[in-house]
Amino acid sequence: TNVAVYYGQGAYQPRLRHFCQETSFEIINLGFINVFPDAVGGYPGSNFGNQCDGNVYPESELLSGCHQIWEDIPICKEMGKTIMLSIGGDTAYQKLENELQAIWFADFLWYSFGPQNENYTDIYPRPFLDNSMDGFDFDIEHDGGYGYATMINRLRSHFDEYPDQKFYISGAPQCTLPDEQLSSAISHSAFDFIWVQFYNTKGCSARDFVNGTGDFNFANWVDIIKNSSNPDAKLFVGLPAAEEAAGEGFYLTPAEVYPLVEIYMGLFPETFGGIMLWEATASDNNTSIDGLNYAQEMKQILYD
Ligand SMILES: CNC(=O)NC(=N)Nc1ccccc1
């Protein structure tokens, strides 16, 4: 089982290599491509917090100077990390208007952030130079429901062009079922990882599990996956990595996480994929009494 973490939106965050040199996570979601193309032919926009140099490609909001990220991805790959590019992330304009736009956006992401293909380098920008993402994550928090299955199926058709390389699709739905942003995509296109945000939503959160309130619905999400386009997808427990990383009351101490993981990893050993954390810098700053940070505590729980 794995620990996945979001990187890119942390307060005063260190550069990516700092996290790739930590052993406690295997999957890093780089967030975010937070502005969607407003039409076929348009560029998306990106935001990686305090990283990059502030420059953008002409007439766009797509960052062009993310030197820390393009320098660090090779280190991450050397350390065996899976690096995903995360689309969405709550703020800014994020909506797919029609099928053509969904196809265009998928192609843009593939040719700009996937394996470098010299036939396309004069058509598409390469914001991370010749570094290729290992996949694409969908953190769709509003205006979803439409177009994502089309995008994901288009991306998978591109993945098929590189049969000897592994590429992944992941998603971060809220815990309420059905998730109005991603449930349709989950049933009509194949995901590899689904990390449910069991925080910031009362009634189905990990906090509800601990308090014995509401209806923590990990088991229902397993059913969704079993009846989805990819019944072998892995389901992760999404958690805040520190008190301040989520709304009031949603943070769980490692001691509170332990029984949740024990029970659900035990009930669903083939679907339980691990833990997702929001987010990397909050985890680093959340060191517990025995000097471990939160991600390290989660790693220990998964391997107990
Ligand atoms: C996987 N995506 C998230 O976890 N997003 C997230 N936590 N957004 C956010 C919501 C409220 C305050 C700060 C960040």
mmCIF file of all heavy atoms in Angstrom, residues 269-288:
data_model
loop_
_atom_site.group_PDB
_atom_site.id
_atom_site.type_symbol
_atom_site.label_atom_id
_atom_site.label_comp_id
_atom_site.label_asym_id
_atom_site.label_seq_id
_atom_site.Cartn_x
_atom_site.Cartn_y
_atom_site.Cartn_z
ATOM 1 N N PRO A 269 -8.777 -5.936 1.416
ATOM 2 C CA PRO A 269 -7.329 -5.961 1.149
ATOM 3 C C PRO A 269 -6.975 -5.761 -0.322
ATOM 4 O O PRO A 269 -5.926 -5.211 -0.626
ATOM 5 C CB PRO A 269 -6.897 -7.351 1.634
ATOM 6 C CG PRO A 269 -8.132 -8.147 1.759
ATOM 7 C CD PRO A 269 -9.256 -7.213 1.992
ATOM 8 N N GLU A 270 -7.866 -6.165 -1.243
ATOM 9 C CA GLU A 270 -7.479 -6.037 -2.652
ATOM 10 C C GLU A 270 -7.801 -4.654 -3.223
ATOM 11 O O GLU A 270 -7.249 -4.253 -4.239
ATOM 12 C CB GLU A 270 -8.134 -7.148 -3.499
ATOM 13 C CG GLU A 270 -9.596 -6.951 -3.834
ATOM 14 C CD GLU A 270 -10.519 -7.104 -2.615
ATOM 15 O OE1 GLU A 270 -10.070 -7.587 -1.553
ATOM 16 O OE2 GLU A 270 -11.690 -6.710 -2.730
ATOM 17 N N THR A 271 -8.693 -3.914 -2.562
ATOM 18 C CA THR A 271 -9.042 -2.588 -3.082
ATOM 19 C C THR A 271 -8.347 -1.476 -2.300
ATOM 20 O O THR A 271 -8.079 -0.409 -2.842
ATOM 21 C CB THR A 271 -10.580 -2.400 -3.027
ATOM 22 O OG1 THR A 271 -11.186 -3.450 -3.772
ATOM 23 C CG2 THR A 271 -10.998 -1.058 -3.607
ATOM 24 N N PHE A 272 -8.039 -1.741 -1.036
ATOM 25 C CA PHE A 272 -7.418 -0.715 -0.194
ATOM 26 C C PHE A 272 -6.041 -0.346 -0.753
ATOM 27 O O PHE A 272 -5.144 -1.183 -0.806
ATOM 28 C CB PHE A 272 -7.290 -1.237 1.244
ATOM 29 C CG PHE A 272 -6.833 -0.185 2.232
ATOM 30 C CD1 PHE A 272 -7.751 0.507 2.983
ATOM 31 C CD2 PHE A 272 -5.487 0.110 2.387
ATOM 32 C CE1 PHE A 272 -7.337 1.486 3.891
ATOM 33 C CE2 PHE A 272 -5.065 1.092 3.286
ATOM 34 C CZ PHE A 272 -5.989 1.778 4.045
ATOM 35 N N GLY A 273 -5.899 0.911 -1.213
ATOM 36 C CA GLY A 273 -4.636 1.297 -1.850
ATOM 37 C C GLY A 273 -3.663 2.004 -0.920
ATOM 38 O O GLY A 273 -2.466 2.047 -1.181
ATOM 39 N N GLY A 274 -4.193 2.604 0.164
ATOM 40 C CA GLY A 274 -3.307 3.338 1.072
ATOM 41 C C GLY A 274 -3.944 4.630 1.531
ATOM 42 O O GLY A 274 -5.174 4.719 1.659
ATOM 43 N N ILE A 275 -3.111 5.611 1.782
ATOM 44 C CA ILE A 275 -3.548 6.891 2.341
ATOM 45 C C ILE A 275 -3.091 8.023 1.434
ATOM 46 O O ILE A 275 -1.955 7.995 0.930
ATOM 47 C CB ILE A 275 -2.950 7.076 3.761
ATOM 48 C CG1 ILE A 275 -3.559 6.054 4.733
ATOM 49 C CG2 ILE A 275 -3.166 8.501 4.295
ATOM 50 C CD1 ILE A 275 -2.839 5.963 6.069
ATOM 51 N N MET A 276 -3.974 9.007 1.204
ATOM 52 C CA MET A 276 -3.611 10.239 0.491
ATOM 53 C C MET A 276 -3.602 11.363 1.514
ATOM 54 O O MET A 276 -4.449 11.393 2.412
ATOM 55 C CB MET A 276 -4.650 10.527 -0.606
ATOM 56 C CG MET A 276 -4.482 11.855 -1.336
ATOM 57 S SD MET A 276 -5.197 13.315 -0.499
ATOM 58 C CE MET A 276 -6.877 13.207 -1.030
ATOM 59 N N LEU A 277 -2.661 12.248 1.398
ATOM 60 C CA LEU A 277 -2.551 13.363 2.339
ATOM 61 C C LEU A 277 -2.622 14.708 1.626
ATOM 62 O O LEU A 277 -1.965 14.925 0.610
ATOM 63 C CB LEU A 277 -1.227 13.295 3.104
ATOM 64 C CG LEU A 277 -1.032 12.065 4.004
ATOM 65 C CD1 LEU A 277 0.356 12.117 4.652
ATOM 66 C CD2 LEU A 277 -2.128 11.959 5.048
ATOM 67 N N TRP A 278 -3.415 15.586 2.194
ATOM 68 C CA TRP A 278 -3.425 16.991 1.812
ATOM 69 C C TRP A 278 -2.785 17.765 2.950
ATOM 70 O O TRP A 278 -3.375 17.854 4.023
ATOM 71 C CB TRP A 278 -4.853 17.512 1.571
ATOM 72 C CG TRP A 278 -4.828 18.981 1.243
ATOM 73 C CD1 TRP A 278 -4.895 20.031 2.125
ATOM 74 C CD2 TRP A 278 -4.670 19.547 -0.060
ATOM 75 N NE1 TRP A 278 -4.776 21.218 1.450
ATOM 76 C CE2 TRP A 278 -4.637 20.960 0.116
ATOM 77 C CE3 TRP A 278 -4.553 19.033 -1.352
ATOM 78 C CZ2 TRP A 278 -4.500 21.824 -0.955
ATOM 79 C CZ3 TRP A 278 -4.397 19.879 -2.404
ATOM 80 C CH2 TRP A 278 -4.387 21.280 -2.211
ATOM 81 N N GLU A 279 -1.599 18.337 2.903
ATOM 82 C CA GLU A 279 -0.743 18.174 1.751
ATOM 83 C C GLU A 279 0.717 18.112 2.223
ATOM 84 O O GLU A 279 0.969 18.090 3.435
ATOM 85 C CB GLU A 279 -0.971 19.306 0.717
ATOM 86 C CG GLU A 279 -0.949 20.744 1.190
ATOM 87 C CD GLU A 279 0.456 21.194 1.571
ATOM 88 O OE1 GLU A 279 1.368 21.245 0.754
ATOM 89 O OE2 GLU A 279 0.608 21.455 2.767
ATOM 90 N N ALA A 280 1.668 18.104 1.369
ATOM 91 C CA ALA A 280 3.058 17.737 1.704
ATOM 92 C C ALA A 280 3.699 18.626 2.764
ATOM 93 O O ALA A 280 4.307 18.137 3.729
ATOM 94 C CB ALA A 280 3.915 17.764 0.428
ATOM 95 N N THR A 281 3.560 19.945 2.635
ATOM 96 C CA THR A 281 4.255 20.848 3.564
ATOM 97 C C THR A 281 3.604 20.808 4.943
ATOM 98 O O THR A 281 4.279 20.820 5.972
ATOM 99 C CB THR A 281 4.269 22.285 2.989
ATOM 100 O OG1 THR A 281 4.877 22.234 1.694
ATOM 101 C CG2 THR A 281 5.034 23.255 3.870
ATOM 102 N N ALA A 282 2.274 20.671 4.932
ATOM 103 C CA ALA A 282 1.563 20.558 6.222
ATOM 104 C C ALA A 282 2.022 19.293 6.949
ATOM 105 O O ALA A 282 2.233 19.285 8.160
ATOM 106 C CB ALA A 282 0.063 20.505 5.965
ATOM 107 N N SER A 283 2.228 18.213 6.185
ATOM 108 C CA SER A 283 2.703 16.967 6.787
ATOM 109 C C SER A 283 4.091 17.137 7.376
ATOM 110 O O SER A 283 4.359 16.749 8.520
ATOM 111 C CB SER A 283 2.739 15.857 5.724
ATOM 112 O OG SER A 283 3.465 14.738 6.203
ATOM 113 N N ASP A 284 4.967 17.788 6.621
ATOM 114 C CA ASP A 284 6.346 18.011 7.089
ATOM 115 C C ASP A 284 6.365 18.801 8.381
ATOM 116 O O ASP A 284 7.154 18.539 9.281
ATOM 117 C CB ASP A 284 7.114 18.802 6.020
ATOM 118 C CG ASP A 284 8.182 17.944 5.355
ATOM 119 O OD1 ASP A 284 7.965 16.732 5.249
ATOM 120 O OD2 ASP A 284 9.216 18.501 4.979
ATOM 121 N N ASN A 285 5.467 19.787 8.480
ATOM 122 C CA ASN A 285 5.464 20.658 9.662
ATOM 123 C C ASN A 285 4.730 20.026 10.833
ATOM 124 O O ASN A 285 4.762 20.562 11.942
ATOM 125 C CB ASN A 285 4.810 22.014 9.319
ATOM 126 C CG ASN A 285 5.595 22.756 8.251
ATOM 127 O OD1 ASN A 285 6.797 22.538 8.104
ATOM 128 N ND2 ASN A 285 4.928 23.592 7.480
ATOM 129 N N ASN A 286 4.068 18.903 10.589
ATOM 130 C CA ASN A 286 3.286 18.268 11.649
ATOM 131 C C ASN A 286 4.084 17.103 12.227
ATOM 132 O O ASN A 286 3.871 15.939 11.880
ATOM 133 C CB ASN A 286 1.947 17.765 11.072
ATOM 134 C CG ASN A 286 1.069 17.133 12.146
ATOM 135 O OD1 ASN A 286 1.382 17.194 13.339
ATOM 136 N ND2 ASN A 286 -0.026 16.503 11.710
ATOM 137 N N THR A 287 5.067 17.461 13.070
ATOM 138 C CA THR A 287 5.898 16.393 13.656
ATOM 139 C C THR A 287 5.335 16.034 15.022
ATOM 140 O O THR A 287 5.052 16.904 15.836
ATOM 141 C CB THR A 287 7.355 16.880 13.821
ATOM 142 O OG1 THR A 287 7.320 18.144 14.471
ATOM 143 C CG2 THR A 287 8.032 17.036 12.463
ATOM 144 N N SER A 288 5.219 14.755 15.237
ATOM 145 C CA SER A 288 4.597 14.309 16.488
ATOM 146 C C SER A 288 5.655 14.141 17.571
ATOM 147 O O SER A 288 6.833 14.404 17.346
ATOM 148 C CB SER A 288 3.911 12.972 16.232
ATOM 149 O OG SER A 288 4.903 12.074 15.782
#
